[in-house]
């Protein structure tokens, strides 16, 4: 579940291994590019951390972030 804190939408994702985590990040990158809305993220082995906020709106959470979060959830397959 996405959590809103510190003017960001945050969520952690876990995968079986690094390759699955990286494949997920590739899918998200393509979606984010189409939406022209790019996340902050970090990846260590099988975990991906994502934070969303809208820079143009003063680094706060907007509908743009919620739309990207929903799109990200659609490509995530839980372990």
């Amino acid at each position: 579940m996405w959590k809103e804190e510190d003017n960001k939408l945050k969520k952690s994702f876990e995968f079986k291994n690094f390759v699955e985590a990286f494949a997920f990040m590739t899918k998200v990158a393509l979606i984010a590019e189409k939406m022209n809305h790019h996340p902050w993220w970090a990846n260590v082995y099988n975990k991906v951390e994502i934070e969303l906020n809208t820079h143009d709106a003063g680094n706060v959470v907007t509908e743009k972030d919620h739309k990207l979060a929903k799109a990200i959830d659609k490509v995530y397959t839980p372990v």
Side-chain angles (χ1 to χ4, degrees), residues 7 37 52-66:
N7 292 319
H37 192 49
L52 304 174
N53 68 11
T54 303
H55 306 291
D56 296 347
N59 293 318
V60 296
V61 176
T62 67
E63 184 58 30
K64 199 172 185 180
D65 303 299
H66 288 282

Side-chain angles (χ1 to χ4, degrees), residues 67-78:
K67 285 181 182 179
L68 180 53
K70 286 178 187 174
I72 290 169
D73 283 342
K74 287 181 182 176
V75 298
Y76 175 62
T77 304

Side-chain angles (χ1 to χ4, degrees), residues 12-71:
S12 299
F13 299 86
E14 189 169 335
F15 302 87
K16 290 180 186 173
N17 54 44
F18 175 74
V19 172
E20 286 189 12
F22 197 86
F24 168 76
M25 291 176 73
T26 301
K27 291 174 188 175
V28 171
L30 294 171
I31 292 165
E33 185 64 19
K34 284 182 185 175
M35 294 177 78
N36 193 31
H37 192 49
H38 306 93
W40 174 93
W41 56 17
N43 166 242
V44 177
Y45 182 57
N46 69 330
K47 293 186 172 93
V48 177
E49 304 282 333
I50 298 179
E51 295 182 359
L52 304 174
N53 68 11
T54 303
H55 306 291
D56 296 347
N59 293 318
V60 296
V61 176
T62 67
E63 184 58 30
K64 199 172 185 180
D65 303 299
H66 288 282
K67 285 181 182 179
L68 180 53
K70 286 178 187 174

